Each structure stands twice: as structure tokens, then as C-alpha cells.
Amino acid sequence: MIRKKQVTLNDIAARSGVAAMTVSRVVNGNGYVSEETREKVLAAVTEMNYRRNGLARSLKRQKTETVGLVLGDLSNPYSTELANAVRESLSAQGFNLFICISEHSGKEDIAAFEALVDHNVDGIIVATRSNRDGNERLDRIADSDLPIVVVGRDFPHKGVDYVSADNFTGGFEATQHLIDLGHRRIGFIGAAFEDRHSLKRLQGYLKALEKHDIAVDERLITGRSESAADVPGYSTEKIGYEGMKRLLSLPNRPTAAFARNDLTAFGAIAAIKEAGLSIPNDIAIVGFDDTPLASHTTPALTTVRQPMRLQGQIAAEMLLRRIRAVEDVRREDRILDCELIVRGSTVAAKL
Amino acid sequence: MIRKKQVTLNDIAARSGVAAMTVSRVVNGNGYVSEETREKVLAAVTEMNYRRNGLARSLKRQKTETVGLVLGDLSNPYSTELANAVRESLSAQGFNLFICISEHSGKEDIAAFEALVDHNVDGIIVATRSNRDGNERLDRIADSDLPIVVVGRDFPHKGVDYVSADNFTGGFEATQHLIDLGHRRIGFIGAAFEDRHSLKRLQGYLKALEKHDIAVDERLITGRSESAADVPGYSTEKIGYEGMKRLLSLPNRPTAAFARNDLTAFGAIAAIKEAGLSIPNDIAIVGFDDTPLASHTTPALTTVRQPMRLQGQIAAEMLLRRIRAVEDVRREDRILDCELIVRGSTVAAKL
DNA sequence: CTGTTAGCGCTTTCAA
DNA sequence: TTGAAAGCGCTAACAG
């Protein structure tokens, strides 16, 4: 259809018999305008249903007061809380937030970055998992001095801040907790082989085993299959379910397992119940995140709580600091403490 | 800090000794450019790390190839699946998706609309709950012919399409199912008083009772407290928990309950278990949505499945149709069937 | 195949 | 208190 032609400043100016500049002043509420003129203009604005063109405005002003947030997926409560916290912090400062989803694909990460840069956002918060293509592009964008903050992992670029939970220590403490309870055969659910060096929670797990001289049994570490392609949104739970099934089929099955996150733990719990086994007596389970549902499963889930909202707030602050900076900003990073929440899903190992 | 001055078409043109227009052609890959010139330009582009300015481009072209999606919250798996489906459909057509969250606040709805309109998105998909302020603003935006599609409810404007699940029939069938099982005292969880006329699922519930001559007991209908202000993201589960507690404290407690959605049902289940009662024998529960977790609770949740992805796809198609239309578009609406999924949380009433 | 011109809608700057 | 001019960076339309 023939879209109604956009009403412009000039239209309003013509209609109310003043200059475009005067209309601009009225619309933006700055500069001096006589009450009389103001009213005349405002009348025309209402009458013609005028909306200023943000594109033109931003083009001229060289800023958009908009920030982008790139998320790997939406299915994890982690993303949700983070996004809310970021949004709240930013909107309190008059910034808009546009969220992009990349579905954990490097290609889509790039598409999201492009889209945001194309729209000249004032800064980007990145909370996707690290991947080569995405990192490379992000690096280039950071080179152009666009403010960037990364959440949940680090990013080695002098112009990029990052904030993350202490996943390593969290993983360590979760595992340590199980060891303290007397468990020796402890599974890890949710790690693909290629995560070995990037997944801090897995590293914490390995470290705890090492500290107690428990040999690592590769078969106890299970994760998504090779074909990561078939792993869409909600798969984390599916991974937990399948991972636990694999652990249960082992000749010498573990007496406890640490799941990469709560969703994975929920899947694992389902598999255990389905096998007619009991939690925590046959198998103890620890999750990670302390999602809202964690306290409501039966039994309630022992898990590691990470400060999701705080990460979002800090990320927003870091970004605003960069956006507003008038001189060079020194890189900043924050690693936040996690907290082990012991509930019913863990208990001392049977002897 | 002094942000690096943006590299422009003219800079590249100057550097490579051609006109800006030629650079534009190379960058956008349209029009004829000799191989030789192309290479020269491309070299300069790489060398100077040029990125075209999307604002200027969109201002000139009068389109952004970007669509906005406004969501009430992110905590409901419904939003998640919808967003993913929308994103997939749009990105397949070369459109970007920017998601805005309104936290179920009319004020934030408006802020999201403004932000999107300000960025001259080509269209908006709205999936927030209906509210007066938001509707009013949306109406004005629709008046200006910006393509708009509403999801999950209707919206009475000749220029706005909508797609929704058949919540009324879904609610009816869920309740009917419980009645068929012999239940007569059936609670409804998750309806505030003011939802009475807007919540189709509640209307379906009431209709089913009416059909079977079961008198409505107001005390069996429970929802969020008056102060909706204290109800942030994840509260739906909390509402279910509290709602069920209230039902359990009734002198003559119900033998079954229909929860407004799965999250609410999960909360209700937690309350029942906490009271030492059994599901489904003491109280049967039906949810709505068939979220991924529904099949993994103990017992698994009987629920009404609504086609979330399909709604997203259709919404995207409807919007693209409007965006691409060259002449007036007739209003379209689609109501999609739901499906009752019977699992372990419902069983015949004890006599 | 390449260049010129004009202008998208706004705001900055300077002048009145 | 108001206005005129210039230009943000890009591309459509036309000319060469």
C-alpha cells in the first residue's frame, strides 16, 4: 500500500507558521520558545500526529541512546534475569535496550553484532558463549572503539570490560560438597569434549577431584553429542536427561553428579526417576544457577547460586561508563562470588 | 574518550580515487563496477576498517529491514519459543529482530513502542498483555500505517492483524477433562479479579462449569494479589504456590485445579506437596502451555499445548505481508487450535 | 562502467 | 526568542 507520507518537522513548521528549528525546540523541550509559539506548534503536532524521525535525529547527533544485548538463547533463566537487570539499569538512565538472540551460532552472533552496529547503538553487551567467528568479529568492532562489555566469560581486548560469576570456584565447591559427603564416583553432566578448556565449571570439578586424589574417569563426563547442530533452545534439559541415562548404564555407575546448570540437572533428575532410582539416596545431584524452580523440585535441588541480577547491573554500569567517557577508559573486570545452596538433592554417600 | 571519527564513504572514495557512489556500489554489491575498481575500493575498505552507517542508509532508503518484538516478560517459556520462531522466520527473509521487554507495565510497553518507532523499524509484533495505556498508544501508531501484528490476543484496529491460540476452548477443554473425571470442586489459579473479562482461559473454565451446571464458587478462583506491583518476572510460579495454599486452606478444598499456565501449575504442585498431599489423588492439576518441563515433573503435568512456534511463524508472515504490501491490506486474524495433553497429574476423582 | 546532483529529516551553529 | 544555512552519511535518479 502507499504508506502515509511521514509528517516532518517542516510540515509542522509550515502548518504553524514558524521555522523548523523552532518546532525542533518545542518538540525537544530545549531552547527558548515563547509560550504562545509553543502552543501553536504543539497544536499542529497533535493535529498532524507528528513523530520525530529518530534516524535523522541520531544521524545528526551521532548517538542513539540505545544499547544492544546479545544473548545465546532465551530458554535459560539465566538469560532472562540478566536481561531484566540490564534493562532496568539502562532504562533508569534513559537508554533503550534491544535484545538479539543468536541461538548459540557464531553466524548468528555476527548477524546480531552487525544489526546492532548498523543501527548505531551506543554500546553492546555480549552474553553469548565464546566462539571463534564471533570473537573475531567482536574484536574488530572493539577496535573501532564501540563500547563493549562481555558477561559470563572473559574477552581479551583492551577496550572490552567483562563481568562474570566465579564459575571455577562454583564448580569446585559443588564438587567439593559431594566429596565431603563421601562421594567418590562423581559424574559431570553437560560438557562436550571441546568444552574441556573453556568450561570453568568443569575445570572446578576437575580441580576438586585432583585435590582429593580422585582419578578422573572420562566416562563420567558426559555432554551434548558431537552434532551440536541438533541442539536448539531447550536442549539443555534434554542433554541432562540423556547424559544421566548414559551414566546410569555404566557398569559402575556414579553415586553423585554435578550438572552444568539447573536445567541440565532437571533433565538428569527425570532420568533418575524414570529408572526407578531415588534422589538423593541412589544418586545425589548438584546443579548450577539456582533458578526459581530449583527450590520446588522434589527433592529440592542443591545448587550453586550465581548473582545473575548483579551481573546485569554491573554490565550496564560498565557499559555506561564507557559510553559516557570523555577520555580513555581503563579496562575493568569483575568476578563475582557464587554461593552453594544445599537442599535435599544431596546427602552423604551410602557406604 | 575521543571516539575515533567514523570512516565514511567519502573517505574511502578519496583514498581509492573514485566517487562515493562507486564505493557504495561496491559495498552493496549492486550496479556495475569493473573488477579493477572493485578491488581498489575493497582494499581501501579493509585498510580503513570501514563500516557503512546504517542510520544514514536507512534514512535515505526509508526502510530498516528491522522488526521489533515487544514481550511482556522473558520468564515464560511461551515468550521464548515465540521469540525464537519469529526470529527464525524473519532472519530467513533478511530481517533483523530487536526484542524489547516491558515487564507487563503499560508505561514500559509505551517506552518499547517509542524506542522501536524511533528507530524506524519496518514493523512491530506485540505480544504483551492488553492494557489501556499501551493499547491507546498502539492505536496511534497503527493509525500512522506502521505494520503491526498482535500475538496472543486480539486488537481492534483495521490495520492490525492478530494471531492467537484458542485460549477459550483450551480452558474449556481443560476444565471439561476434570469434570469428565468426576471432579466438581475445581479451582482456577492465576486469575486476578480484573482478568475476569479479558482472560479467555478463565472464561473457558467458567463456560465448562456452566455447561455442567456446576455453580461457580468465587473462593475457588484465585490469583495475584491486588498489588500487582510486587509481581516481577518469575512470579507466576509464586502465584501458583500462593494460590494453591489459599485453596488448601479452604474448609471444603477443591479436588482439582486448573492453572492459568504451566509455571503457575508448578508452583501449585509445590504447595500441594509441601502440604503432604498427593497429586493426582488428593488434588488433580491441569496446566496450560505444555512447556518443556511439564513432561518431567512428578507426576508429569496434564496440560493444554498451544502451538507457540506456529504463532511466531504466522505472526512473522503476517507482518512481512504488511511490510511488503504495495496496496491496502485487508485485516487478517488466526485462532489456532490447542491440544489437551493428558499425563499423570490428573485422575478420576475419589468418590 | 562511473560520476554528479539532490535530498532523506533532523540539529548545530551562527546570525538576527 | 526566532530563523537560515549547512551538513550528518548515504543512495536514487540521472547523466555522461
Side-chain angles (χ1 to χ4, degrees), chain B residues 183-187 217 219-220 244-257 272 275-278 281-284 350:
Chain B
H183 294 280
R184 285 302 173 268
R185 284 187 65 72
I186 302 172
D217 182 343
R219 291 163 307 173
L220 293 186
M244 181 49 80
K245 282 201 116 164
R246 231 171 300 145
L247 291 185
L248 292 177
S249 69
L250 251 34
N252 183 10
R253 71 166 194 247
T255 63
I272 295 171
L277 296 172
S278 134
N281 294 315
D282 292 320
I283 301 193
K350 285 183 291 191

Side-chain angles (χ1 to χ4, degrees), chain A residues 234, chain B residues 73 75-81 165 167 170-171 174 201 236 258-266 286-295 301-309 311 338-341 343:
Chain A
Y234 262 103
Chain B
D73 68 299
S75 50
N76 199 312
Y78 172 87
S79 305
T80 296
E81 294 246 13
N167 291 301
R201 296 175 191 179
T236 7
F258 169 35
R260 179 216 184 104
N261 62 33
D262 284 358
L263 276 186
T264 310
F266 295 148
V286 182
F288 206 115
D289 285 346
D290 193 28
T291 51
L293 243 31
S295 54
L301 186 66
T302 293
T303 187
V304 179
R305 175 183 299 163
Q306 64 164 313
M308 312 202 217
R309 293 192 53 85
Q311 285 180 75
C338 295
E339 182 189 2
L340 181 72
I341 309 289
R343 297 204 183 94

Side-chain angles (χ1 to χ4, degrees), chain B residues 54-104:
Chain B
L55 249 35
R57 178 168 211 253
S58 298
L59 177 61
K60 180 69 192 180
R61 303 182 64 204
Q62 301 286 48
K63 58 183 172 184
T64 53
E65 246 108 62
T66 300
V67 163
L69 170 62
V70 186
L71 256 25
D73 68 299
L74 240 32
S75 50
N76 199 312
Y78 172 87
S79 305
T80 296
E81 294 246 13
L82 182 75
N84 283 337
V86 167
R87 195 193 60 74
E88 278 165 30
S89 301
L90 289 176
S91 94
Q93 303 290 320
F95 279 73
N96 298 311
L97 178 67
F98 285 161
I99 302 173
C100 293
I101 311 298
S102 75
E103 291 288 339
H104 297 300

Side-chain angles (χ1 to χ4, degrees), chain A residues 169-221:
Chain A
T169 307
F172 180 86
E173 286 176 357
T175 312
Q176 167 93 348
H177 166 66
L178 291 170
I179 295 173
D180 286 348
L181 289 172
H183 294 281
R184 286 302 174 268
R185 283 186 67 70
I186 302 172
F188 185 99
I189 307 178
F193 182 77
E194 69 268 26
D195 288 333
R196 202 48 174 275
H197 297 292
S198 66
L199 196 59
K200 295 274 197 290
R201 295 174 191 179
L202 176 57
Q203 288 171 13
Y205 159 89
L206 294 171
K207 181 72 180 180
L209 294 186
E210 183 191 324
K211 182 180 165 198
H212 293 269
D213 290 322
I214 302 174
V216 174
D217 182 342
E218 286 298 335
R219 289 164 307 173
L220 293 185
I221 300 177

Side-chain angles (χ1 to χ4, degrees), chain A residues 103-128:
Chain A
E103 291 286 341
H104 298 300
S105 134
K107 198 168 135 278
E108 293 291 338
D109 277 350
I110 292 177
F113 298 154
E114 299 272 276
L116 293 168
V117 172
D118 262 8
H119 280 255
N120 288 34
V121 293
D122 293 340
I124 303 181
I125 298 177
V126 180
T128 56

Side-chain angles (χ1 to χ4, degrees), chain A residues 48-155:
Chain A
M48 305 183 75
N49 195 17
Y50 167 75
R51 301 224 65 230
R52 83 175 167 220
N53 183 319
L55 248 36
R57 180 180 158 92
S58 297
L59 176 61
K60 183 69 192 177
R61 302 182 66 203
Q62 302 286 43
K63 58 183 171 184
T64 53
E65 245 108 62
T66 301
V67 164
L69 170 62
V70 185
L71 256 26
D73 68 300
L74 240 32
S75 50
N76 199 311
Y78 171 88
S79 305
T80 296
E81 294 247 12
L82 182 75
N84 283 337
V86 168
R87 195 193 60 75
E88 279 166 29
S89 302
L90 290 176
S91 96
Q93 304 290 318
F95 279 74
N96 298 311
L97 178 67
F98 285 161
I99 302 172
C100 292
I101 310 299
S102 75
E103 291 286 341
H104 298 300
S105 134
K107 198 168 135 278
E108 293 291 338
D109 277 350
I110 292 177
F113 298 154
E114 299 272 276
L116 293 168
V117 172
D118 262 8
H119 280 255
N120 288 34
V121 293
D122 293 340
I124 303 181
I125 298 177
V126 180
T128 56
R129 286 212 289 261
S130 186
N131 68 78
R132 220 201 45 218
D133 294 346
N135 287 358
E136 195 181 275
R137 181 60 59 97
L138 200 52
D139 217 75
R140 287 242 297 285
I141 297 175
D143 281 341
S144 72
D145 286 342
L146 183 71
I148 294 178
V149 172
V150 167
V151 181
R153 55 163 170 130
D154 57 0
F155 188 82

Side-chain angles (χ1 to χ4, degrees), chain B residues 103-114:
Chain B
E103 291 288 339
H104 297 300
S105 135
K107 197 166 135 280
E108 293 291 337
D109 277 349
I110 292 177
F113 298 155
E114 299 273 276

